[in-house]
Amino acid sequence: MPAHRRHLCFLRALVGLRSTSTGAATAAAGFSSAPSRGCPLHAALSRRGAPAAAALALFSRIRAATLPTPYTFSLLLASLAAASSSRSPTLSADVCDRLAAAGLAHAQALKCGALAHPVVTNCLLKLYCALGMLPDARRVFDTSGPTALDAVSWNTMVSGYGKCGNLEAAREVFVRMPDRGLVSWSAMIDACVRAGEFSEALRVFDQMKGNGFRPDAVVLVSVLKACAHLGALERGRWVHRFLKAEGLGGRPGNVMLETALVDMYCKCGCMNESWWVFDGVQSHDVVLWNAMIGGLAMNGHGKRALELFRRMLDKGFVPNESTFVVVLCACTHTGRVDEGKDVFRSMRDHGIEPRREHYGCLADLLGRAGLLEEAEAVLLDMPMEPQASQWGALMSSCLLHNNVGVGERVGKKLIELEPDDGGRYVVLFNLYAVSGLWEDAKALRKMMEERGAKKETGLSFIEWNGLVHEFRSGDTRHPQTRLIYALLEDMEQRLELIGYVKDTSQVLMDMDDEEDKGNTLSYHSERLALAFGILNIPHDMPIRIVKNLRVCCDCHVHAKLVSKLYQREIIVRDRHRFHLFRGGVCSCNDFW
């Protein structure tokens, strides 16, 4: 008998589920008179985190002694949900227990008529959502009568869909809600953030304020996450001012909000402000330390990041797995190979077994330093199977160092893992092309076309006057398109006078003509955003751009020259790190 069937039979035996049923009305009639609160068995059931079998055994004992009440079922369902929220992603015996227990508890509640009570229905919805069983939760939601649902029911469904990444379903439930409260708006904003729709999250937040709701700490954490990803500094600063005015910042217990604030400032490149918030927090926790160390790493302050890590250890804080990821990233962004190796080896001294992410960071560190064979060996010898993200980082290093030997093996592995991602073909194609392996390059292009693989669209974002402006390569949607393109043309002519020559070596996949390659480079999304910034942002203010992909080599050179020619401070955050361009020099020292 399969394992999950054995678990189901065992749990059925615990509950004593019979095919015959007493009338729901009879059972419901006894709910008000049956003893529940104050009962020792109910008190035991109310303790969260018990295994499913233990919770059902307690329920069985309660049912043997008296008629279960809605209170009984709410405790049972809440107990199962509490443990399910921290479940393992693998189908372990415990997960099988909880999946089976959810069905049995649902059957018992239905049999006894308990689902007529909103508190029981809501607990069942939360249980199914915690288990990721959204179709089951939706069935309960859709088949419950209007008296069995309340605002909590609607909020639970919006939140459940949001946490599972189904923004469309969350939006559909949210729009249908008869009444929306602050929790409803908070759940919808969180759903947008989890789905990566950060601009929509800010639009929903504006609608919430327009409907007269004042944000609380939970809403503001989500808003700060959206601001961080978009680089929407002015919106983030508005949140900070609001926190001060409302007295929400600096309170004990608000460390999650302050951590989001630190993270936002770091991801907008405002390290002085992030330090000011970090130093003002009354009660630090390891998540806050991680945010600050990671922010320093992303902004190229590897030495300060390592110093802060040592300070954290000296103060008695215990690092977790995420701590070592950000510390290793600090070493990677500044080429500190020996220190990175030492940090990796020290993980077990802190009781932490390296995971896939840590091996990936170590391989990335070695690869960027040109130690490509050693980096490949790290991924091949790690105790778990490396994923595409780890191989992808190594592939970028192979292209950087023009290493066809390792790059071809890694590139083919990536295409095998993600055959529909056009970006994987493009990188290997470019490596073949710059190495003169044109027959291999043509065969790869044909393979990509036959499979219909598409490359991720490059997007750049820039904030001005409270609005986030989005650009993509060759974009003509913006109202200032004519001015932007005119400035780019003038900019290029002036740069050519001081010796700028386009590097078209990485714009090869779909173009044979050198002029076409140059035109493509001229209108990359970050260049359009940069031109918009020069046109609109005052000279004494830095131009801040966020890009969803890695900045290409030519755009990096272009930004350095523009910063010198136009005497502008330009801050670009790409997928991996920050670049501060000032006076013709980048803070990354051309190591990214």
Side-chain angles (χ1 to χ4, degrees):
M1 181 185 294
H4 71 277
R5 293 295 301 276
R6 289 199 300 273
H7 292 307
L8 181 59
C9 292
F10 173 61
L11 295 171
R12 281 181 181 274
L14 278 175
V15 178
L17 188 61
R18 301 181 182 88
S19 58
T20 60
S21 63
T22 58
T26 305
F31 285 165
S32 59
S33 59
S36 58
R37 298 176 191 272
C39 167
L41 292 176
H42 281 81
L45 188 58
S46 68
R47 288 192 281 272
R48 302 288 186 258
L56 287 178
L58 282 169
F59 172 78
S60 185
R61 291 175 63 190
I62 292 169
R63 201 185 64 165
T66 184
L67 196 63
T69 70
Y71 180 64
T72 309
F73 282 105
S74 67
L75 291 178
L76 171 62
L77 295 167
S79 176
L80 294 173
S84 300
S85 62
S86 58
R87 67 190 186 283
S88 167
T90 58
L91 195 63
S92 64
D94 182 60
V95 174
C96 289
D97 279 356
R98 297 193 185 284
L99 293 172
L104 293 175
H106 184 179
Q108 287 287 295
L110 187 64
K111 171 183 171 181
C112 295
L115 292 179
H117 297 259
V119 64
V120 180
T121 302
N122 293 337
C123 287
L124 181 60
L125 291 174
K126 289 177 182 176
L127 171 58
Y128 278 140
C129 289
L131 287 166
M133 300 168 68
L134 269 298
D136 299 85
R138 187 57 185 260
R139 244 185 323 270
V140 172
F141 182 78
D142 287 340
T143 57
S144 297
T147 58
L149 299 176
D150 58 14
V152 175
S153 315
W154 291 86
N155 293 338
T156 300
M157 290 306 300
V158 174
S159 179
Y161 279 128
K163 289 175 180 175
C164 287
N166 191 340
L167 179 59
E168 184 178 349
R171 193 186 291 121
E172 179 260 329
V173 175
F174 179 76
V175 168
R176 287 177 47 213
M177 289 183 73
D179 293 298
R180 301 189 191 105
L182 182 60
V183 176
S184 314
W185 289 98
S186 177
M188 190 62 217
I189 293 169
D190 180 65
C192 294
V193 171
R194 289 176 183 268
E197 296 293 338
F198 306 112
S199 295
E200 183 176 352
L202 295 183
R203 284 195 296 271
V204 174
F205 177 61
D206 289 338
Q207 291 171 15
M208 185 199 86
K209 290 191 296 175
N211 279 271
F213 290 95
R214 293 186 69 77
D216 63 2
V218 177
V219 173
L220 294 174
V221 166
S222 296
V223 171
L224 285 169
K225 289 179 182 178
C227 293
H229 282 277
L230 291 171
L233 177 61
E234 292 309 312
R235 295 294 295 268
R237 282 175 171 159
W238 178 92
V239 173
H240 195 178
R241 290 193 296 271
F242 180 85
L243 292 176
K244 290 179 180 178
E246 296 292 312
L248 291 174
R251 291 182 187 173
N254 266 359
V255 66
M256 184 180 293
L257 187 56
E258 289 162 320
T259 300
L261 202 54
V262 167
D263 185 59
M264 183 276 297
Y265 278 129
C266 286
K267 287 180 176 172
C268 289
C270 300
M271 296 310 298
N272 288 337
E273 287 165 285
S274 63
W275 273 117
W276 185 85
V277 175
F278 178 81
D279 289 336
V281 176
Q282 296 181 21
S283 301
H284 292 63
D285 66 4
V286 68
V287 181
L288 178 62
W289 285 96
N290 292 349
M292 193 67 220
I293 295 169
L296 288 167
M298 177 178 270
N299 282 273
H301 303 297
K303 182 179 179 182
R304 294 179 71 184
L306 291 171
E307 289 172 352
L308 189 62
F309 173 57
R310 297 186 191 101
R311 181 175 144 198
M312 170 187 162
L313 297 178
D314 291 342
K315 287 184 174 292
F317 287 90
V318 179
N320 59 18
E321 293 173 352
S322 297
T323 309
F324 284 99
V325 170
V326 295
V327 173
L328 287 169
C329 285
C331 298
T332 298
H333 289 315
T334 48
R336 296 173 179 271
V337 175
D338 292 336
E339 286 174 278
K341 288 180 177 180
D342 290 341
V343 168
F344 185 84
R345 283 191 290 264
S346 74
M347 289 181 64
R348 291 186 177 90
D349 297 337
H350 295 279
I352 296 175
E353 193 67 27
R355 296 170 65 90
R356 182 182 285 110
E357 294 79 7
H358 304 106
Y359 284 101
C361 288
L362 179 60
D364 191 22
L365 169 66
L366 296 169
R368 292 190 194 209
L371 304 172
L372 296 165
E373 287 78 10
E374 188 177 348
E376 183 184 25
V378 167
L379 295 183
L380 291 173
D381 296 341
M382 58 194 276
M384 64 288 293
E385 192 67 26
Q387 294 178 336
S389 58
Q390 285 86 49
W391 288 115
L394 178 55
M395 188 63 196
S396 296
S397 296
C398 292
L399 183 59
L400 176 67
H401 295 286
N402 291 333
N403 187 312
V404 180
V406 176
E408 184 174 41
R409 293 193 295 271
V410 174
K412 288 180 177 179
K413 181 68 175 178
L414 277 167
I415 292 171
E416 178 186 330
L417 290 171
E418 295 184 339
D420 297 326
D421 185 349
R424 303 308 187 188
Y425 298 82
V426 170
V427 179
L428 181 55
F429 180 97
N430 287 341
L431 183 59
Y432 281 147
V434 297
S435 304
L437 302 174
W438 291 106
E439 292 304 316
D440 294 304
K442 289 176 183 177
L444 189 64
R445 177 192 288 188
K446 184 179 179 182
M447 182 194 298
M448 179 180 174
E449 291 171 349
E450 289 173 348
R451 294 181 178 180
K454 301 295 182 184
K455 187 176 181 294
E456 183 181 355
T457 302
L459 299 173
S460 292
F461 305 90
I462 183 169
E463 183 191 32
W464 178 239
N465 276 344
L467 294 176
V468 177
H469 301 260
E470 177 188 290
F471 294 93
R472 61 187 63 189
S473 183
D475 210 336
T476 58
R477 300 170 299 162
H478 198 275
Q480 296 185 23
T481 291
R482 291 180 63 185
L483 292 172
I484 289 170
Y485 277 75
L487 177 59
L488 284 174
E489 185 176 341
D490 177 68
M491 190 184 293
E492 212 157 272
Q493 290 174 357
R494 295 178 64 183
L495 291 178
E496 287 173 357
L497 291 175
I498 59 173
Y500 167 64
V501 178
K502 293 174 186 173
D503 176 7
T504 60
S505 63
Q506 293 184 23
V507 191
L508 297 164
M509 173 55 88
D510 296 311
M511 293 164 201
D512 299 312
D513 186 87
E514 202 67 27
E515 185 176 347
D516 288 339
K517 298 173 190 175
N519 288 338
T520 298
L521 281 172
S522 298
Y523 306 126
H524 273 188
S525 62
E526 59 267 50
R527 298 197 189 190
L528 297 175
L530 176 56
F532 171 84
I534 291 174
L535 285 169
N536 294 277
I537 298 175
H539 196 274
D540 59 345
M541 293 178 64
I543 297 171
R544 301 176 186 276
I545 299 168
V546 173
K547 182 167 184 178
N548 66 331
L549 303 177
R550 182 179 181 271
V551 173
C552 75
C553 292
D554 188 73
C555 286
H556 192 267
V557 171
H558 181 271
K560 286 196 295 185
L561 294 174
V562 168
S563 72
K564 183 176 182 179
L565 185 63
Y566 287 80
Q567 291 296 298
R568 298 298 300 258
E569 183 176 298
I570 304 164
I571 301 172
V572 179
R573 190 186 90 210
D574 68 7
R575 175 171 282 180
H576 299 293
R577 62 167 300 154
F578 269 91
H579 303 267
L580 170 58
F581 301 97
R582 185 191 291 132
V585 178
C586 180
S587 59
C588 76
N589 294 317
D590 299 334
F591 187 85
W592 84 100

